[in-house]
Amino acid sequence: MLAALVCAKDEGVSASEFVDMPALRGKDYGKTKMRYPDYTLTESGLQYKDLRVGTGPIPKEGEIVVVDWDGYTIGYYGRIFEARNKPKGGSFEVIPAFEEAISTMSLGGVRRIIVPPDLGYPDNDFNKKGPRPTTFSGQRALAFVLQNQSLIDKTLLFDIELLKISPT
């Protein structure tokens, strides 16, 4: 970060302004997409691994599902922003990564997903689509990562357990 600051006042640039660095332009510096070899990579960029393969049916389009989930910020020290096995309540419209992951899970399964920013929260706002952290500290941790304009990686990790499938 220090290399991107200019301290020369005679050029009319203050120390707090960033210098354009052509070599870094368009490279999404500091936000590289990691490929985890033991995960399945989908066409959309979602990576997943089944921690426990379910034995029940797979949800059909339009069915309502009940899930338990936990979430972590990969690029911010792996900080948890929601824990499983806690009452969460409510229904929500899900982010694209959740929908994609659940659509191929079997009932009773637990799947770990790695969510790139483009499959995550729209406009970096967890209030628009879920899942939404239930605790204040979880909301703060997730908001810090999603709304941070610096080089923090916005990739997220979720563990999802498919508990129930209900026809509509």
Side-chain angles (χ1 to χ4, degrees), residues 9-24:
K9 293 192 184 244
D10 54 320
E11 293 179 17
V13 179
S14 72
S16 65
E17 291 184 89
F18 289 98
V19 172
D20 179 36
M21 300 178 78
L24 301 179

Side-chain angles (χ1 to χ4, degrees), residues 25 51 57 73 77 86 97 110 123-124 151:
R25 216 180 292 144
L51 303 178
T73 60
Y77 307 111
K86 288 180 24 178
V110 177
D123 302 321
N124 292 321
L151 298 178

Side-chain angles (χ1 to χ4, degrees), residues 92-96 99 120-122 125-132:
F92 51 83
E93 202 176 323
V94 296
I95 60 174
E99 190 165 341
Y121 294 95
D125 184 357
F126 59 80
N127 290 307
K128 292 185 177 182
K129 287 192 175 185
R132 185 175 192 267

Side-chain angles (χ1 to χ4, degrees), residues 55-77:
T55 57
I58 294 172
K60 296 176 187 75
E61 190 172 333
E63 291 185 317
I64 297 170
V65 298
V66 176
V67 298
D68 193 8
W69 63 277
D70 57 6
Y72 302 85
T73 60
I74 289 181
Y76 184 55
Y77 307 111

Side-chain angles (χ1 to χ4, degrees), residues 1 11 17-18 26 39-40 44 48 51 57 59 83 113 126 128 136 140-142 145 147 152 155 157:
M1 211 54 194
E11 293 179 17
E17 291 184 89
F18 289 98
Y39 283 70
T40 302
S44 69
Y48 72 89
L51 303 178
I113 62 173
F126 59 80
K128 292 185 177 182
F136 178 70
R140 282 189 58 195
L142 184 55
V145 170
Q147 296 167 2
I152 289 180
T155 303
L157 181 142

Side-chain angles (χ1 to χ4, degrees), residues 99-130:
E99 190 165 341
E100 182 179 349
I102 293 167
S103 69
T104 58
M105 285 179 72
S106 295
L107 184 63
V110 177
R111 180 170 283 179
R112 176 166 289 162
I113 62 173
I114 298 172
V115 180
D118 50 330
L119 292 177
Y121 294 95
D123 302 321
N124 292 321
D125 184 357
F126 59 80
N127 290 307
K128 292 185 177 182
K129 287 192 175 185

